[in-house]
Amino acid sequence: MTPELSDLRQSIIAQLPKAELHLHIEGSLEPEMMFMLAQRNMVEIPYTSVEEIRKAYAFSNLQDFLDIYYQGMAVLCSEQDFFDLTYAYLERAQSDCVRHVEIFFDPQGHTSRGVPFDSAIGGILRALEEGEKQFKISHRLIMCFLRHLDEASAFETLSQAEPWLDKIAGVGLDSSELGHPPSKFARVFALARQKGLKLVAHAGEEGPPGYVWEALDHLHVDRIDHGNRALEDEALIQRIVAEKKTLTVCPLSNLKLCVVSNLVDSPVKAMLDAGIKVTINSDDPSYFGGYINANFAAVADAQNLSIDNLKTLARNSFTGSFLSDEHIAQHIAAVDLVMDEFC
Ligand code: HPA
Ligand code: ZN
């Protein structure tokens, strides 16, 4: 690859309007904010410096990361903490030309520590609404169930969400995948669907292709988060393509959690080539070393993505979103306008 091509890609990536569809807001907690909130709330954390925190972010699998991630979120206590966290993410997203976000939050990670559901969601929503005014970034909020907990806890969480349902776009499924197949949550997802919520689930990050089948057949998801291992099953690929399901891939996350050993092996290019509607996302950017443009840039260079590939990825991020058709069309027109300048 020539340096010119890499530079051209970087400037396209920087200017491309894009949506982020796979972002855990608790995973955007930067070490500096972790220290600030630990002091504000008098919560002890097992680190003495930002450098020490960054050094601790060396993971060999998903569970390694989740242990640190749940420990990190212990500094989030008040409604204002959730506001500050979310607002900081939106400010950062704006600088990456993000125009729309669909963010996850993990209420059980907070209610289990005695933080009221309303404090978490109240602060996040207040920041999303303020961010829409300040940064012109539209949003959807997705409430995730922690799959290492039981079905009863997920039902309890859905009932806590009842007063907020007009502000929640959908439910998702995250946390430790192996040993916790999607079918464990079929009944709570069915109830969420009855309530008019969109459905997404992490599947095929570490779990086998069978978990992706289950997310489709038992949960009836609108989107698959990660979905890497779907590529191991030709019939599954055909199903995903036929149903135009979006897969929200997270390249730097995959690298940090050893889902791939090198970005050359990221599923992005293979999915594009197979006709799968893939998007690029940052997952937990504070823990994985990069926000959305860094994810785009790293995979574009590693896999020598074409200008057309970048355009497809940006378009997919909007067509795969839960925005209205009218808003999607406006964003696609904006993507095409930027691309016209480069072609
Ligand atoms: N996978 C599963 N659960 C998660 C993740 C992830 O990448 N990030 C935060 N919770
Ligand atoms: Zn995730």
PDB file of all heavy atoms in Angstrom, residues 65-78:
ATOM      1  N   PHE A  65     -11.565  -9.091  30.228  1.00  0.00           N
ATOM      2  CA  PHE A  65     -11.990  -7.695  30.063  1.00  0.00           C
ATOM      3  C   PHE A  65     -13.184  -7.394  30.959  1.00  0.00           C
ATOM      4  O   PHE A  65     -13.222  -6.361  31.639  1.00  0.00           O
ATOM      5  CB  PHE A  65     -12.329  -7.419  28.589  1.00  0.00           C
ATOM      6  CG  PHE A  65     -13.313  -6.292  28.411  1.00  0.00           C
ATOM      7  CD1 PHE A  65     -12.944  -4.977  28.687  1.00  0.00           C
ATOM      8  CD2 PHE A  65     -14.624  -6.546  28.015  1.00  0.00           C
ATOM      9  CE1 PHE A  65     -13.867  -3.938  28.555  1.00  0.00           C
ATOM     10  CE2 PHE A  65     -15.543  -5.512  27.887  1.00  0.00           C
ATOM     11  CZ  PHE A  65     -15.172  -4.201  28.164  1.00  0.00           C
ATOM     12  N   LEU A  66     -14.182  -8.290  30.954  1.00  0.00           N
ATOM     13  CA  LEU A  66     -15.418  -8.000  31.696  1.00  0.00           C
ATOM     14  C   LEU A  66     -15.126  -7.807  33.185  1.00  0.00           C
ATOM     15  O   LEU A  66     -15.737  -6.951  33.837  1.00  0.00           O
ATOM     16  CB  LEU A  66     -16.447  -9.123  31.481  1.00  0.00           C
ATOM     17  CG  LEU A  66     -17.052  -9.173  30.066  1.00  0.00           C
ATOM     18  CD1 LEU A  66     -17.852 -10.469  29.865  1.00  0.00           C
ATOM     19  CD2 LEU A  66     -17.956  -7.960  29.789  1.00  0.00           C
ATOM     20  N   ASP A  67     -14.171  -8.563  33.728  1.00  0.00           N
ATOM     21  CA  ASP A  67     -13.834  -8.417  35.151  1.00  0.00           C
ATOM     22  C   ASP A  67     -13.380  -6.988  35.439  1.00  0.00           C
ATOM     23  O   ASP A  67     -13.766  -6.379  36.440  1.00  0.00           O
ATOM     24  CB  ASP A  67     -12.736  -9.416  35.549  1.00  0.00           C
ATOM     25  CG  ASP A  67     -13.220 -10.870  35.475  1.00  0.00           C
ATOM     26  OD1 ASP A  67     -14.454 -11.085  35.448  1.00  0.00           O
ATOM     27  OD2 ASP A  67     -12.361 -11.771  35.418  1.00  0.00           O
ATOM     28  N   ILE A  68     -12.557  -6.432  34.551  1.00  0.00           N
ATOM     29  CA  ILE A  68     -12.031  -5.067  34.733  1.00  0.00           C
ATOM     30  C   ILE A  68     -13.124  -4.027  34.452  1.00  0.00           C
ATOM     31  O   ILE A  68     -13.211  -2.986  35.099  1.00  0.00           O
ATOM     32  CB  ILE A  68     -10.833  -4.849  33.772  1.00  0.00           C
ATOM     33  CG1 ILE A  68      -9.736  -5.867  34.063  1.00  0.00           C
ATOM     34  CG2 ILE A  68     -10.332  -3.422  33.789  1.00  0.00           C
ATOM     35  CD1 ILE A  68      -8.631  -5.413  34.963  1.00  0.00           C
ATOM     36  N   TYR A  69     -13.951  -4.335  33.471  1.00  0.00           N
ATOM     37  CA  TYR A  69     -15.039  -3.428  33.046  1.00  0.00           C
ATOM     38  C   TYR A  69     -16.057  -3.241  34.180  1.00  0.00           C
ATOM     39  O   TYR A  69     -16.455  -2.119  34.503  1.00  0.00           O
ATOM     40  CB  TYR A  69     -15.659  -4.046  31.797  1.00  0.00           C
ATOM     41  CG  TYR A  69     -16.960  -3.525  31.261  1.00  0.00           C
ATOM     42  CD1 TYR A  69     -17.030  -2.360  30.499  1.00  0.00           C
ATOM     43  CD2 TYR A  69     -18.141  -4.265  31.436  1.00  0.00           C
ATOM     44  CE1 TYR A  69     -18.239  -1.938  29.940  1.00  0.00           C
ATOM     45  CE2 TYR A  69     -19.349  -3.848  30.881  1.00  0.00           C
ATOM     46  CZ  TYR A  69     -19.393  -2.683  30.137  1.00  0.00           C
ATOM     47  OH  TYR A  69     -20.584  -2.268  29.585  1.00  0.00           O
ATOM     48  N   TYR A  70     -16.457  -4.345  34.828  1.00  0.00           N
ATOM     49  CA  TYR A  70     -17.424  -4.214  35.935  1.00  0.00           C
ATOM     50  C   TYR A  70     -16.788  -3.499  37.121  1.00  0.00           C
ATOM     51  O   TYR A  70     -17.451  -2.720  37.811  1.00  0.00           O
ATOM     52  CB  TYR A  70     -17.988  -5.590  36.337  1.00  0.00           C
ATOM     53  CG  TYR A  70     -18.836  -6.209  35.232  1.00  0.00           C
ATOM     54  CD1 TYR A  70     -18.548  -7.454  34.690  1.00  0.00           C
ATOM     55  CD2 TYR A  70     -19.926  -5.517  34.698  1.00  0.00           C
ATOM     56  CE1 TYR A  70     -19.311  -7.994  33.662  1.00  0.00           C
ATOM     57  CE2 TYR A  70     -20.698  -6.040  33.666  1.00  0.00           C
ATOM     58  CZ  TYR A  70     -20.377  -7.285  33.154  1.00  0.00           C
ATOM     59  OH  TYR A  70     -21.129  -7.805  32.132  1.00  0.00           O
ATOM     60  N   GLN A  71     -15.514  -3.738  37.344  1.00  0.00           N
ATOM     61  CA  GLN A  71     -14.810  -3.038  38.433  1.00  0.00           C
ATOM     62  C   GLN A  71     -14.756  -1.533  38.129  1.00  0.00           C
ATOM     63  O   GLN A  71     -14.991  -0.712  39.004  1.00  0.00           O
ATOM     64  CB  GLN A  71     -13.400  -3.618  38.508  1.00  0.00           C
ATOM     65  CG  GLN A  71     -12.533  -3.106  39.612  1.00  0.00           C
ATOM     66  CD  GLN A  71     -11.132  -3.708  39.441  1.00  0.00           C
ATOM     67  OE1 GLN A  71     -10.351  -3.306  38.574  1.00  0.00           O
ATOM     68  NE2 GLN A  71     -10.832  -4.678  40.275  1.00  0.00           N
ATOM     69  N   GLY A  72     -14.489  -1.190  36.883  1.00  0.00           N
ATOM     70  CA  GLY A  72     -14.376   0.222  36.488  1.00  0.00           C
ATOM     71  C   GLY A  72     -15.681   0.968  36.682  1.00  0.00           C
ATOM     72  O   GLY A  72     -15.703   2.123  37.135  1.00  0.00           O
ATOM     73  N   MET A  73     -16.808   0.314  36.382  1.00  0.00           N
ATOM     74  CA  MET A  73     -18.078   1.049  36.446  1.00  0.00           C
ATOM     75  C   MET A  73     -18.524   1.337  37.882  1.00  0.00           C
ATOM     76  O   MET A  73     -19.485   2.069  38.088  1.00  0.00           O
ATOM     77  CB  MET A  73     -19.179   0.376  35.609  1.00  0.00           C
ATOM     78  CG  MET A  73     -19.657  -0.956  36.056  1.00  0.00           C
ATOM     79  SD  MET A  73     -21.083  -1.499  35.070  1.00  0.00           S
ATOM     80  CE  MET A  73     -20.350  -2.136  33.590  1.00  0.00           C
ATOM     81  N   ALA A  74     -17.788   0.801  38.865  1.00  0.00           N
ATOM     82  CA  ALA A  74     -18.140   1.049  40.273  1.00  0.00           C
ATOM     83  C   ALA A  74     -18.028   2.529  40.653  1.00  0.00           C
ATOM     84  O   ALA A  74     -18.570   2.956  41.671  1.00  0.00           O
ATOM     85  CB  ALA A  74     -17.257   0.206  41.185  1.00  0.00           C
ATOM     86  N   VAL A  75     -17.323   3.321  39.853  1.00  0.00           N
ATOM     87  CA  VAL A  75     -17.202   4.756  40.172  1.00  0.00           C
ATOM     88  C   VAL A  75     -18.436   5.552  39.722  1.00  0.00           C
ATOM     89  O   VAL A  75     -18.572   6.729  40.058  1.00  0.00           O
ATOM     90  CB  VAL A  75     -15.926   5.403  39.557  1.00  0.00           C
ATOM     91  CG1 VAL A  75     -14.674   4.691  40.054  1.00  0.00           C
ATOM     92  CG2 VAL A  75     -15.990   5.415  38.028  1.00  0.00           C
ATOM     93  N   LEU A  76     -19.319   4.911  38.952  1.00  0.00           N
ATOM     94  CA  LEU A  76     -20.522   5.598  38.451  1.00  0.00           C
ATOM     95  C   LEU A  76     -21.632   5.456  39.480  1.00  0.00           C
ATOM     96  O   LEU A  76     -22.146   4.347  39.702  1.00  0.00           O
ATOM     97  CB  LEU A  76     -20.967   4.967  37.123  1.00  0.00           C
ATOM     98  CG  LEU A  76     -19.989   5.085  35.955  1.00  0.00           C
ATOM     99  CD1 LEU A  76     -20.350   4.109  34.840  1.00  0.00           C
ATOM    100  CD2 LEU A  76     -19.980   6.520  35.422  1.00  0.00           C
ATOM    101  N   CYS A  77     -21.968   6.555  40.124  1.00  0.00           N
ATOM    102  CA  CYS A  77     -22.935   6.475  41.228  1.00  0.00           C
ATOM    103  C   CYS A  77     -24.160   7.362  41.019  1.00  0.00           C
ATOM    104  O   CYS A  77     -25.286   6.900  41.171  1.00  0.00           O
ATOM    105  CB  CYS A  77     -22.270   6.867  42.546  1.00  0.00           C
ATOM    106  SG  CYS A  77     -20.848   5.826  42.953  1.00  0.00           S
ATOM    107  N   SER A  78     -23.958   8.627  40.674  1.00  0.00           N
ATOM    108  CA  SER A  78     -25.090   9.555  40.643  1.00  0.00           C
ATOM    109  C   SER A  78     -25.573   9.788  39.215  1.00  0.00           C
ATOM    110  O   SER A  78     -24.891   9.451  38.238  1.00  0.00           O
ATOM    111  CB  SER A  78     -24.660  10.904  41.238  1.00  0.00           C
ATOM    112  OG  SER A  78     -23.704  11.506  40.392  1.00  0.00           O
TER     113      SER A  78
END
